[in-house]
Amino acid sequence: IDELIVGQIVDVGAEQPPAFLTAAADGGGLSIENPGLAAEQFAAMCKGFGDVELRFGAPPTGEATRQRVEAAVDTFLRAYGRAS
C-alpha cells in the first residue's frame, strides 16, 4: 500500500487524498477516523524541512527527498496501517 499512498497523495488536489484514504480504510488496509487530518499529516511529513530549505535557497537533494518520503510512508503506516 505504501507505493499506492505515495502515488495517489503527493501533489494532488485537496479532495483526492482524503477520498483515497477513505477508500483504503473501507478496503481494510488502513484504520483512519479522520481522513482529511491523516492526509494533511502525511503531506506535512513529506514536506518536512525540505520546504524550509527551499525557502532559504538550499533546495534538498533528490536523495534527501526520497529518504524523507520513504520515512513519511513508514511512519504513516505505523500510525494508520492495519496489522496483516
Side-chain angles (χ1 to χ4, degrees), residues 2-28:
D2 57 342
E3 290 177 14
L4 288 174
I5 289 173
V6 172
Q8 294 293 319
I9 294 180
V10 178
D11 294 329
V12 296
E15 296 84 28
Q16 290 178 344
F20 173 79
L21 294 177
T22 298
D26 290 347

Side-chain angles (χ1 to χ4, degrees), residues 8-9 12 14-15 18 28 34 37 48-49 52 57 66 68 71 73 79:
Q8 294 293 319
I9 294 180
V12 296
E15 296 84 28
N34 186 334
L37 179 60
F49 281 113
V52 174
R66 184 190 63 74
R68 182 180 296 112
V73 170

Side-chain angles (χ1 to χ4, degrees), residues 10-64:
V10 178
D11 294 329
V12 296
E15 296 84 28
Q16 290 178 344
F20 173 79
L21 294 177
T22 298
D26 290 347
L30 299 173
S31 177
I32 299 175
E33 290 183 29
N34 186 334
L37 179 60
E40 181 180 345
Q41 292 168 333
F42 180 73
M45 286 190 294
C46 287
K47 281 176 51 174
F49 281 113
D51 186 52
V52 174
E53 294 166 344
L54 188 60
R55 289 173 191 243
F56 287 101
T61 65
E63 179 62 17

